[in-house]
Amino acid sequence: MKASIGLIGLAVMGENLALNLESKGYTVAVFNRTIAKVDAFFSGRGKGKKLIPTHSLEELASSLETPRRVFLMVKAGEPVDEMIDTLLPLLSKGDIIIDGGNSNYQDTNRRVQEVEAKGMLYIGTGVSGGEEGALRGPAIMPGGSPAAWPIVKEQLQAISAKVKGMPCCDWIGSGGSGHFVKMVHNGIEYGDMQLICEIYDIMRKYLHLTAEEMQKEFLAWNKGELSSYLIEITADIMGHKDEDGSPLVDKILDTAGQKGTGKWTGIEALNQGIPLTLIVEAVFARCLSSEKTERVEASNLYPSIPTVSLPNDKKTFLHDLEDALYVAKIISYAQGFELIRKAGKENDWNLQLSNIALMWRGGCIIRSSFLERISEAYAKNPALENLVLDPYFCSVLKTKVAGLRRVLAVTVLSGIPAPSLSAALSWFDGYRSASLPANLLQAQRDYFGAHTYERTDQPRGSFFHTNWTGHGGSTASTTYNA
């Protein structure tokens, strides 16, 4: 018996897509580079189903009906190219490779051309819905070789979600269009999740609500205009207990991972000149969450902020504007030098940040006396992780940040846009927070994608996965961070 489709990659999404295809009547040949996963799947969740376990790509190719259809569910980037290069000699003219991972759309543009040049067809498709969606019906966004669509349409639409009888799957267009649409979808997803997490953070830090009280609110909101999958699972997460009966969300470390699509969305927005500000800030919020050690250090330097009152006269407010500008300027340079420091470290450039600051004192557009202070900070401590941790800049920020808060309170109440000033204060408050709401974000990622999380009561580097729904599998996704 030949299989009607092959699937490579048995992490959580691959496993569930294979089971989804099988449940729709298709025989599926499966392969994984770690062969033990094939046997474990076949004797576990795949036992007794119309699945053909294969232990080599040659065996996979020979087990498929023609034209062969091979679904790749492997890590984006080089692993996809390596798999394509290995697979192509085993295929014949008219066979189809389907990349269902989160590949960069520009990679898909290239791969379509390369595969078509060798007589085969290529589809790059976004698959959204996480672990549960892959099993029960995801949204599928295929694009690539137009000639491939009539051949795979029935299968892809069969396994997709249905709304009012209509499949959540249709042809997007040529080249990398399918992965482009999925990329923007994921960028919007980043924004949705960050917004929920910020609301959660206000609930717990300002209203001092318990997880149980927050669950009631999210459950109520899910019955109104905010009804959505992410609100639904957030309510579920709030009610999930750890083994000791305490809320599990409180035990999850506030460091959130990402797999690249949100970052790519921001880069593309910059390329196209689209002000995708909310989504880009959501991506940066995840980046900030990963700086856990620095945030804990900063939280000790910058204690809780007292309530500030609005300025009541012009002279006072002008002084606040001066302070706001200086504080925001410090934060802007702190971010820029952090980027230079990290890139230098990653590339082994041995950069001297003190000297770089001195070079900018004259001639260049941003020349100012302020750069002398930056040079002094890095000269005193070449290993300084961020300017706001330097004693001088720390004292300035403690003294003057209240002015920025008052200025932004006025802009918000007056309807005056101040995007950069707002972003500066949000970053500062995030950087000085030992605890961010990224614990909820990581719980959401584990809930829908089995992306795992670290725990506050376990050593760093140990990752855990929870079967949140009670009917998910124990297989976890990869934990790489783009």
Side-chain angles (χ1 to χ4, degrees):
M1 177 181 66
K2 296 275 189 178
S4 55
I5 191 167
L7 188 141
I8 299 172
L10 291 175
V12 62
M13 290 291 286
E15 272 194 9
N16 284 350
L17 281 172
L19 292 173
N20 187 348
L21 282 159
E22 192 275 344
S23 72
K24 301 302 186 294
Y26 301 109
T27 300
V28 186
V30 297
F31 172 75
N32 195 83
R33 284 177 294 185
T34 305
I35 302 301
K37 278 195 172 185
V38 176
D39 296 331
F41 178 53
F42 193 64
S43 60
R45 298 178 73 200
K47 188 174 183 179
K49 300 187 182 296
K50 292 177 292 183
L51 301 170
I52 300 175
T54 65
H55 298 88
S56 69
L57 288 176
E58 290 81 3
E59 186 181 356
L60 177 85
S62 65
S63 69
L64 298 175
E65 298 173 351
T66 56
R68 298 179 182 89
R69 283 152 282 194
V70 183
F71 214 132
L72 305 184
M73 293 301 297
V74 300
K75 180 179 174 180
E78 289 184 8
V80 176
D81 286 318
E82 291 169 1
M83 187 59 69
I84 292 170
D85 289 343
T86 308
L87 195 58
L88 281 176
L90 307 175
L91 301 180
S92 304
K93 185 176 181 180
D95 290 348
I96 302 166
I97 296 174
I98 307 167
D99 174 17
N102 279 327
S103 287
N104 188 298
Y105 81 97
Q106 292 172 329
D107 286 339
T108 304
N109 279 337
R110 169 179 55 81
R111 289 165 185 155
V112 169
Q113 293 180 358
E114 292 173 353
V115 172
E116 287 182 345
K118 296 186 178 180
M120 275 70 85
L121 303 174
Y122 192 85
I123 288 178
T125 184
V127 179
S128 178
E131 177 182 6
E132 188 81 359
L135 181 64
R136 302 181 184 278
I140 304 176
M141 295 152 264
S145 305
W149 176 234
I151 302 170
V152 302
K153 178 180 179 179
E154 178 186 303
Q155 288 175 320
L156 294 185
Q157 291 191 336
I159 64 171
S160 72
K162 310 294 187 300
V163 176
K164 297 180 179 179
M166 296 293 292
C168 296
C169 169
D170 204 354
W171 185 247
I172 300 295
S174 60
S177 60
H179 274 138
F180 184 90
V181 170
K182 176 57 162 53
M183 175 191 76
V184 177
H185 163 281
N186 280 25
I188 293 170
E189 178 186 297
Y190 273 54
D192 267 2
M193 294 171 71
Q194 181 62 26
L195 290 172
I196 292 170
C197 288
E198 290 176 15
I199 295 299
Y200 154 73
D201 211 27
I202 296 167
M203 283 178 165
R204 64 173 178 167
K205 290 180 179 175
Y206 183 72
L207 297 177
H208 305 293
L209 299 186
T210 65
E212 184 178 356
E213 289 171 326
M214 286 187 272
Q215 182 188 31
K216 290 178 181 178
E217 291 302 315
F218 283 114
L219 285 171
W221 293 356
N222 198 44
K223 294 176 182 176
E225 292 178 334
L226 283 170
S227 175
S228 65
Y229 175 71
L230 284 171
I231 293 291
E232 176 189 335
I233 72 168
T234 299
D236 202 7
I237 288 166
M238 290 298 153
H240 202 96
K241 305 296 184 184
D242 198 14
E243 292 177 355
D244 63 1
S246 63
L248 177 58
V249 67
D250 294 341
K251 300 282 184 67
I252 295 176
L253 194 71
D254 56 320
T255 56
Q258 54 182 310
K259 293 197 170 184
T261 45
K263 178 171 68 176
W264 299 338
T265 306
I267 292 170
E268 192 59 29
L270 288 169
N271 289 337
Q272 298 292 336
I274 303 299
L276 212 71
T277 54
L278 189 152
I279 289 171
V280 170
E281 286 298 336
V283 176
F284 286 146
R286 294 197 188 188
C287 298
L288 186 61
S289 77
S290 68
E291 298 176 334
K292 177 69 174 178
T293 303
E294 290 179 48
R295 289 193 288 108
V296 171
E297 181 181 354
S299 72
N300 293 322
L301 291 174
Y302 301 96
S304 58
I305 301 298
T307 303
V308 296
S309 57
L310 293 179
N312 54 18
D313 67 86
K314 185 179 291 187
K315 184 177 180 180
T316 300
F317 190 57
L318 284 170
H319 182 68
D320 282 344
L321 288 173
E322 181 183 12
D323 285 353
L325 182 56
Y326 192 43
V327 166
K329 182 181 178 73
I330 290 171
I331 290 168
S332 177
Y333 281 69
Q335 292 177 350
F337 273 87
E338 182 183 22
L339 176 59
I340 293 172
R341 182 184 68 82
K342 289 190 174 179
K345 188 175 181 180
E346 186 174 320
N347 291 284
D348 261 346
W349 287 337
N350 192 29
L351 300 179
Q352 303 300 311
L353 299 185
S354 177
N355 293 344
I356 291 172
L358 289 178
M359 280 190 290
W360 291 353
R361 286 179 305 169
C364 70
I365 301 302
I366 63 170
R367 61 187 182 272
S368 67
S369 57
F370 167 76
L371 286 156
E372 194 82 45
R373 293 288 192 178
I374 296 176
S375 179
E376 290 170 2
Y378 284 113
K380 283 187 299 182
N381 182 7
L384 183 66
E385 291 179 312
N386 194 289
L387 276 179
V388 303
L389 301 178
D390 171 74
Y392 168 76
F393 289 110
C394 179
S395 65
V396 172
L397 289 171
K398 283 181 177 179
T399 304
K400 297 181 179 294
V401 73
L404 177 57
R405 294 187 190 283
R406 286 190 288 268
V407 166
L408 286 173
V410 168
T411 64
V412 170
L413 293 173
S414 304
I416 301 170
S420 292
L421 290 171
S422 301
L425 185 60
S426 290
W427 176 87
F428 175 69
D429 282 338
Y431 192 77
R432 65 170 195 84
S433 294
S435 173
L436 289 175
N439 58 316
L440 172 58
L441 200 151
Q442 200 62 13
Q444 292 173 329
R445 295 182 76 238
D446 189 59
Y447 191 113
F448 65 67
H451 292 300
T452 73
Y453 55 84
E454 295 176 90
R455 291 179 60 108
T456 58
D457 54 0
Q458 297 294 329
R460 293 297 307 270
S462 300
F463 292 89
F464 301 86
H465 168 55
T466 292
N467 184 352
W468 297 91
T469 63
H471 50 76
S474 59
T475 304
S477 182
T478 49
T479 57
Y480 70 90
N481 197 28

